[in-house]
Amino acid sequence: SLNTSWKSRDRETDNDVGTSIYNETDSGTDLDVDLSAYRIRYLTSDDQARLYHGYGPTIGYYRLRSELIDNTNDETRKGERDDIFVGLSNIIGVEWFRWESVSLFAEYRATLGYTHRTEKGIDDRISRITTTTSNTVALSSNGVRFGLAARF
């Protein structure tokens, strides 16, 4: 089984409450790509509902670009963040084969993974660029996911 997800969004928020501290605009772009491959084993063989377990590698990339503009004194601060992720995921779920080639599923996924993060901050008012990197190993969970699966 091969799963992939791709999320991208542009965002802009305006916080104008009349003081220089909060009179700012925050805008940016997020990109989140995730690719997982699982070896699936069905634990039950009921005709319609089947419990399953799976495991496999996961890789991902997350990118955030933001710009914070203080509208009171035209100061701009920009930020960039890139995450590269590799890990091993474990899933357990139930799949309901309601139709011949289409099923509904609910699954829970936990991942043990390594993340390399690079962050860059640009502050125009003092012409300063700061770059930091970090490496993290963590066990994470994405909660329960519901979906529709098609078989070809």
Side-chain angles (χ1 to χ4, degrees):
S1 171
L2 183 64
N3 295 319
T4 184
S5 67
W6 170 286
K7 295 176 263 183
S8 178
R9 69 181 178 129
D10 288 323
R11 59 185 162 66
E12 184 164 328
T13 56
D14 226 347
N15 300 322
D16 186 359
V17 292
T19 67
S20 64
I21 296 172
Y22 295 105
N23 188 8
E24 55 192 28
T25 302
D26 182 14
S27 63
T29 303
D30 298 341
L31 173 66
D32 190 357
V33 179
D34 181 309
L35 180 64
S36 302
Y38 299 110
R39 174 156 168 63
I40 301 288
R41 184 173 143 233
Y42 286 93
L43 305 174
T44 59
S45 60
D46 183 270
D47 286 338
Q48 283 198 337
R50 295 182 187 164
L51 185 65
Y52 63 90
H53 172 266
Y55 60 91
T58 299
I59 59 171
Y61 175 72
Y62 176 73
R63 170 187 239 178
L64 170 67
R65 301 290 184 260
S66 65
E67 183 173 271
L68 183 65
I69 302 170
D70 186 333
N71 297 320
T72 306
N73 45 5
D74 292 328
E75 292 178 353
T76 301
R77 290 181 299 280
K78 297 177 183 174
E80 300 176 1
R81 184 176 116 191
D82 292 293
D83 291 352
I84 298 172
F85 174 83
V86 293
L88 182 62
S89 293
N90 196 8
I91 59 172
I92 188 162
V94 63
E95 192 168 9
W96 181 43
F97 291 88
R98 176 65 177 103
W99 303 278
E100 185 176 330
S101 60
V102 178
S103 64
L104 302 173
F105 68 88
E107 67 184 23
Y108 175 82
R109 178 172 90 167
T111 303
L112 177 62
Y114 165 81
T115 302
H116 175 77
R117 173 175 290 173
T118 303
E119 294 181 280
K120 184 191 290 187
I122 303 167
D123 194 336
D124 285 346
R125 65 189 162 106
I126 57 175
S127 299
R128 182 174 160 185
I129 298 173
T130 57
T131 302
T132 59
T133 59
S134 61
N135 298 297
T136 309
V137 175
L139 180 63
S140 63
S141 167
N142 294 3
V144 176
R145 182 174 74 157
F146 298 94
L148 180 73
R151 308 248 180 323
F152 301 102

